[in-house]
Amino acid sequence: MKKSEARKIFTEKRKTATEQQRNKWDDLILIRFQTLPIPDLNVLFTYAAMETEVNTDAIVDYLHFRNPALQVAYPVCDFDTYTMQAIASTIDTPFIKNRYGTPEPRMDNAEVMPSQSIDVVIIPLLCFDKDGYRVGYGKGFYDKFLADTREDVIKIGLSYYEPIDKIEDRSEFDVPLNYCVTPERTYEF
Ligand SMILES: Nc1nc2c(c(=O)[nH]1)N(C=O)[C@@H](CNc1ccc(C(=O)N[C@@H](CCC(=O)O)C(=O)O)cc1)CN2
Ligand SMILES: Nc1ncnc2c1ncn2[C@@H]1O[C@H](COP(=O)(O)OP(=O)(O)OP(=O)(O)O)[C@@H](O)[C@H]1O
């Protein structure tokens, strides 16, 4: 399947899930996430979920419990260059929606986490395939960001839906996932 077709299908599919269903899937994904063989980590780059995305709050709480010194960063986007920065955030950091509806940490006194310091990236996606390739919103935010991260960074996708067989129009920039967790299964690539 081509990325553009997958984007359309999964954008529509996402809208059909009820809040109750999503909450249940978030719980199942958390339970699976807790069994991933990820080593101790110091810096996490995650995302603040929009309504139809897998919520990462409980996963962040769990990782924080594992390492109280964990630093957690969230994306702040530049829509002129389609790049993003990892902004360190705490429980007290206010989040505001940008003009495209994505919650972002407020930038006052913001600490930018160097891409090279990040140990694990939790990535939102519209759909993924059986080889770990993903389809996002098509602006290349994540592909560009991941290009600057360490070779050994662990990339974990979260998805309510199972993978498609193959994204046909992969590009040279596409960075595959190491893991993808769904309510039904954990995929390792
Ligand atoms: N929760 C969450 N945060 C995230 C992402 C995500 O997928 N989920 N991102 C994952 O990338 C980045 C934001 N990506 C986005 C990409 C496109 C649009 C969007 O609505 N674009 C408009 C046109 C924008 C323009 O051209 O200036 C559109 O496509 O209609 C919004 C966010 C970073 N933060
Ligand atoms: N490292 C990079 N350097 C320059 N351009 C890039 C890079 N990575 C991706 N791009 C460009 O970004 C655009 C979007 O790529 P693609 O269709 O794969 O989006 P996507 O994977 O759905 O998006 P995202 O990474 O935001 O989730 C493409 O035009 C691609 O050429």
Side-chain angles (χ1 to χ4, degrees):
M1 195 187 293
K2 295 257 169 65
K3 286 181 188 174
S4 57
E5 192 190 346
R7 235 171 242 130
K8 257 191 228 147
I9 292 173
F10 283 85
T11 304
E12 286 310 308
K13 199 167 171 154
R14 272 182 172 194
K15 293 181 189 157
T16 63
T18 63
E19 189 183 349
Q20 202 182 11
Q21 241 167 356
R22 283 189 270 114
N23 288 341
K24 189 175 131 197
W25 289 339
D26 286 342
D27 285 347
L28 292 169
I29 288 172
L30 170 67
I31 291 166
R32 282 189 193 292
F33 192 98
Q34 291 172 331
T35 67
L36 288 177
I38 41 178
D40 288 342
L41 62 146
N42 294 311
V43 183
L44 169 71
F45 182 51
T46 183
Y47 64 91
M50 295 184 272
E51 201 170 67
T52 52
E53 294 177 317
V54 178
N55 191 296
T56 67
D57 293 348
I59 292 174
V60 174
D61 286 348
Y62 157 71
L63 292 171
H64 210 246
F65 173 76
R66 269 186 30 169
N67 175 11
L70 180 74
Q71 285 194 282
V72 185
Y74 290 83
V76 170
C77 291
D78 179 338
F79 280 90
D80 294 325
T81 55
Y82 296 132
T83 54
M84 57 187 187
Q85 287 185 308
I87 302 300
S89 308
T90 68
I91 194 104
D92 298 321
T93 305
F95 278 70
I96 39 173
K97 282 196 176 167
N98 67 17
R99 59 192 154 130
Y100 301 109
T102 324
E104 295 186 338
R106 236 181 32 209
M107 281 293 267
D108 1 331
N109 306 319
E111 184 192 347
V112 180
M113 295 303 293
S115 308
Q116 295 284 318
S117 71
I118 296 169
D119 300 310
V120 170
V121 184
I122 299 180
I123 308 180
L125 46 87
L126 279 164
C127 122
F128 69 109
D129 76 11
K130 290 180 172 162
D131 298 320
Y133 285 87
R134 42 172 282 284
V135 178
Y137 286 115
K139 302 289 188 243
F141 279 111
Y142 273 93
D143 289 327
K144 279 180 218 149
F145 187 86
L146 291 171
D148 289 334
T149 53
R150 284 200 320 265
E151 186 105 1
D152 66 342
V153 69
I154 301 175
K155 298 167 286 284
I156 306 173
L158 302 178
S159 171
Y160 287 143
Y161 306 105
E162 299 307 303
I164 59 172
D165 277 342
K166 191 169 178 186
I167 294 162
E168 291 159 12
D169 49 343
R170 285 176 194 163
S171 88
E172 55 176 317
F173 296 122
D174 289 342
V175 182
L177 301 166
N178 299 107
Y179 298 98
C180 193
V181 185
T182 75
E184 274 180 33
R185 274 196 57 184
T186 297
Y187 296 83
E188 185 177 353
F189 306 106

